[in-house]
């Protein structure tokens, strides 16, 4: 194993350890055994402010599968009744259906899932008294006024559990779990993938290339969290830096870029509410929380609304519809704090948007072709169909990852005599060195040991992450 590979392993482990991007800080959690229409439901201010209630006039996400790659989803939560369409565990430490809450932040996945596709629940029946008369009008069978209603309340959740943030008892590393989770989601019908996980590094392991390329070629929208400054994410980190991924930044209650619950970077596509959020916890209770972990399912939910309204619309067009209808904020045009602007779900579902053949946030296929050129370790994947128009430019600068260097032209530039002379000297040095090493080896008793550079020993579970 090369030192570069080992460094990548340690970096990815550290960056994804702090990754449960939603920061459910202990001081920010407020739980309750049950929700009432005038409490937890009323906390969902983003439903109106981001235009989601108006978007429901067009679509509620019917039959669209959204994979939640996270810490597991408690499908028994009352607000998720009927929402789970399948699941899988990629950690080796969860349950096969992905519904066991695991990792350093076991509540994280359920918070995300309820915000994305929660159905709410019916109010408990009131206690009757002897003098009470039965209501002449039975309650509507589909009335669910209490609890958390998600952005796409008729979408279906695929629960994909991962163990991140601390040492995995299942033995699988962070860098192995993510690509496996993405591939499983694609193969099991996900049209949208929500990754509310982040990191402190813009780089990602080369082993992830093929999985994200696979999702792109299979026409899947991937939405990821930009990360939180309070969790150490000053700049956007992987996987939100991967070209083509719709990266979500966070807004405060005033619609400004959140100081704590967001970050910045050129890969940001859109911004959504990230403070004073509310979601469900495993076991049926609720919590207030903050972070781009919570902003991400809001955007994923809107993607599900679009994919339900226009089933034949490509992933590139879905992303383009979301970012092109966003309300411009910050510096005019696309900027590193808001991306293309603030999410406007109503406009995304109702406005006329020009058709596009390319993803405005780039293409992992193009990026691999440019940046992995000449690197034999690049994973193979099915060839993408030829594009009908020129592809978008890569989103990331070249400096964020290693780039293959061209072969040296030194030999062809030197006279033959000089090359031969230095060649003889080089051989003599090698022979002398070999003799000296042989002597040293015998003198040491014939044992040699190389340090283990592949150990994932940089896990950081102290922060809330992105």
């Amino acid at each position: 194993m090369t030192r570069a590979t080992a460094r990548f392993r340690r970096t990815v482990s550290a960056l994804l350890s702090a990754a449960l991007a939603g920061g459910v800080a202990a001081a920010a959690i407020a739980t309750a055994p049950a929700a009432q229409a005038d409490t937890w439901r009323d906390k969902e201010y983003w439903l109106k402010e981001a235009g989601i209630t108006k978007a429901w006039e067009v679509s509620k996400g019917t039959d669209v599968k959204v994979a939640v790659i996270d810490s597991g989803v408690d499908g028994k939560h009352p607000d998720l009744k009927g929402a789970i369409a399948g699941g899988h565990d990629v950690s080796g430490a969860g349950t096969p259906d992905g519904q066991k809450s695991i990792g350093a932040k076991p509540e994280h996945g359920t918070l995300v899932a309820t915000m994305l596709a929660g159905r709410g629940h019916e109010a408990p029946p009131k206690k009757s008294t002897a003098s009470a008369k039965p209501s002449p009008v039975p309650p509507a069978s589909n009335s669910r006024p209490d609890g958390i209603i998600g952005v796409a309340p008729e979408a279906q959740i695929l629960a994909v559990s991962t163990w991140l943030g601390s040492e995995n008892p299942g033995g699988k590393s962070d860098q192995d779990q993510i690509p496996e989770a993405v591939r499983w989601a694609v193969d099991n019908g996900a049209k949208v993938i929500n990754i509310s996980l982040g990191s402190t590094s813009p780089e990602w392991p080369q082993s992830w290339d093929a999985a994200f390329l696979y999702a792109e070629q299979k026409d899947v929208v991937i939405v990821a969290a930009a990360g939180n400054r309070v969790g150490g994410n000053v700049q956007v980190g992987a996987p939100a830096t991967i070209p083509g991924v719709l990266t979500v930044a966070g807004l405060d209650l005033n619609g400004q870029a959140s100081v704590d619950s967001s970050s910045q970077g050129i890969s940001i596509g859109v911004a959504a509410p990230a403070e004073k959020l509310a979601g469900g916890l495993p076991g049926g209770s609720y919590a207030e929380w903050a972070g781009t972990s919570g902003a991400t399912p809001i955007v994923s939910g809107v993607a599900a609304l679009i994919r339900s309204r226009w089933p034949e619309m490509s992933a590139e067009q879905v992303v383009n519809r979301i970012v092109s209808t966003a309300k411009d904020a910050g510096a005019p045009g696309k900027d590193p704090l808001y991306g293309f602007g603030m999410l406007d779900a109503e406009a995304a579902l109702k406005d006329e948007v020009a058709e596009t053949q390319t993803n405005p946030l780039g293409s992992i296929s193009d990026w691999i072709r440019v940046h992995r050129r000449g690197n034999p370790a690049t994973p193979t994947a099915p060839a993408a169909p030829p594009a009908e128009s020129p592809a978008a430019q890569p989103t990331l600068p070249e400096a964020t990852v290693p780039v293959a260097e061209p072969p040296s032209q030194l030999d062809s530039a030197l006279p033959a005599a000089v090359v031969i002379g230095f060649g003889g000297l080089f051989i003599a040095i090698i022979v002398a060195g070999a003799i000296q090493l042989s002597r040293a080896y015998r003198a040491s008793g014939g044992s040699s040991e190389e340090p283990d550079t592949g150990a994932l020993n940089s896990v950081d579970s102290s922060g809330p992450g992105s």
Side-chain angles (χ1 to χ4, degrees):
M1 179 181 295
T2 65
R3 291 185 178 180
T5 301
R7 187 169 60 252
F8 248 136
R9 285 179 179 272
R10 291 193 298 269
T11 300
V12 171
S13 178
L15 60 84
L16 279 177
S17 328
L20 296 177
V24 189
I29 294 182
T31 62
Q36 300 299 324
D38 59 349
T39 55
W40 290 101
R41 179 67 62 87
D42 287 347
K43 293 177 185 291
E44 296 183 86
Y45 65 90
W46 57 90
L47 296 178
K48 180 179 179 180
E49 293 187 9
I52 293 161
T53 53
K54 291 291 186 180
W56 286 343
E57 296 171 357
V58 177
S59 171
K60 290 190 176 181
T62 306
D63 296 331
V64 174
K65 290 183 179 180
V66 183
V68 174
I69 297 177
D70 215 288
S71 63
V73 176
D74 179 11
K76 295 181 180 179
H77 193 286
D79 296 347
L80 292 176
K81 183 178 181 180
I84 308 299
H88 180 63
D89 172 64
V90 298
S91 71
T95 54
D97 62 3
Q99 294 187 44
K100 178 181 178 180
S101 300
I102 59 176
K105 299 287 183 181
E107 71 281 355
H108 200 268
T110 304
L111 286 164
V112 169
T114 50
M115 285 190 62
L116 200 162
R119 272 95 161 115
H121 63 266
E122 295 181 17
K126 295 181 179 180
K127 294 181 179 180
S128 61
T129 61
S131 60
K133 296 181 179 181
S135 172
V137 181
S141 60
N142 61 350
S143 174
R144 293 181 173 183
D146 289 358
I148 301 297
I149 186 83
V151 174
E154 294 180 4
Q156 298 176 321
I157 293 292
L158 294 175
V160 188
S161 58
T162 61
W163 187 292
L164 301 173
S166 63
E167 185 176 353
N168 178 15
K172 298 178 70 173
S173 69
D174 304 332
Q175 64 175 345
D176 292 334
Q177 294 178 67
I178 298 300
E180 181 182 340
V182 170
R183 282 185 171 275
W184 185 90
V186 174
D187 288 340
N188 285 270
K191 301 303 291 181
V192 180
I193 295 177
N194 186 98
I195 307 180
S196 289
L197 311 171
S199 70
T200 55
S201 170
E203 301 177 350
W204 64 91
Q206 192 166 333
S207 59
W208 290 11
D209 287 359
F212 282 82
L213 174 62
Y214 186 62
E216 179 176 275
Q217 292 173 348
K218 293 294 186 179
D219 196 42
V220 178
V221 175
I222 298 182
V223 187
N228 307 328
R229 291 183 186 87
V230 73
N233 299 77
V234 178
Q235 297 287 331
V236 177
T241 50
I242 296 178
V245 170
L246 177 51
T247 299
V248 183
L251 300 172
D252 63 20
L253 296 178
N254 297 315
Q256 303 294 315
S258 176
V259 175
D260 291 335
S261 299
S262 192
S263 62
Q264 64 185 51
I266 62 173
S267 62
I268 289 175
V270 70
E275 294 187 7
K276 282 286 191 178
L277 304 176
L281 292 174
S285 57
Y286 299 85
E288 287 188 1
W289 63 315
T292 52
S293 272
T296 300
I298 294 175
V299 177
S300 292
V302 174
L305 299 183
I306 296 172
R307 303 219 84 166
S308 177
R309 172 65 179 83
W310 295 285
E312 302 304 318
M313 183 175 287
S314 69
E316 291 85 357
Q317 292 180 54
V318 173
V319 173
N320 183 65
R321 179 168 278 274
I322 290 173
V323 301
S324 64
T325 58
K327 298 175 182 177
D328 193 24
K334 189 175 186 295
D335 67 77
L337 288 177
Y338 300 90
F340 287 90
M342 299 184 294
L343 177 70
D344 185 341
E346 181 182 14
L349 269 294
K350 295 181 178 181
D351 283 8
E352 292 290 333
V353 176
E355 188 171 328
T356 181
Q357 299 296 325
T358 58
N359 187 328
L361 298 175
S363 162
I364 184 63
S365 176
D366 293 339
W367 189 91
I368 290 172
R369 176 174 50 80
V370 173
H371 292 275
R372 303 296 195 196
R373 182 178 57 236
N375 192 333
T378 302
T380 58
E388 297 180 11
S389 60
Q393 292 297 315
T395 304
L396 300 179
E398 293 189 16
T400 59
V401 295
V403 179
E405 297 181 1
S408 172
Q409 302 299 317
L410 180 62
D411 290 347
S412 60
L414 292 176
V418 175
V419 172
I420 292 172
F422 275 98
L425 179 59
F426 180 75
I427 291 172
I429 292 173
I430 292 297
V431 170
I435 293 171
Q436 183 62 28
L437 285 174
S438 177
R439 291 174 177 171
Y441 181 83
R442 289 194 299 269
S444 65
S447 63
S448 177
E449 207 173 292
E450 179 163 345
D452 180 9
T453 58
L456 298 178
N457 55 6
S458 305
V459 174
D460 174 12
S461 59
S462 59
S466 61

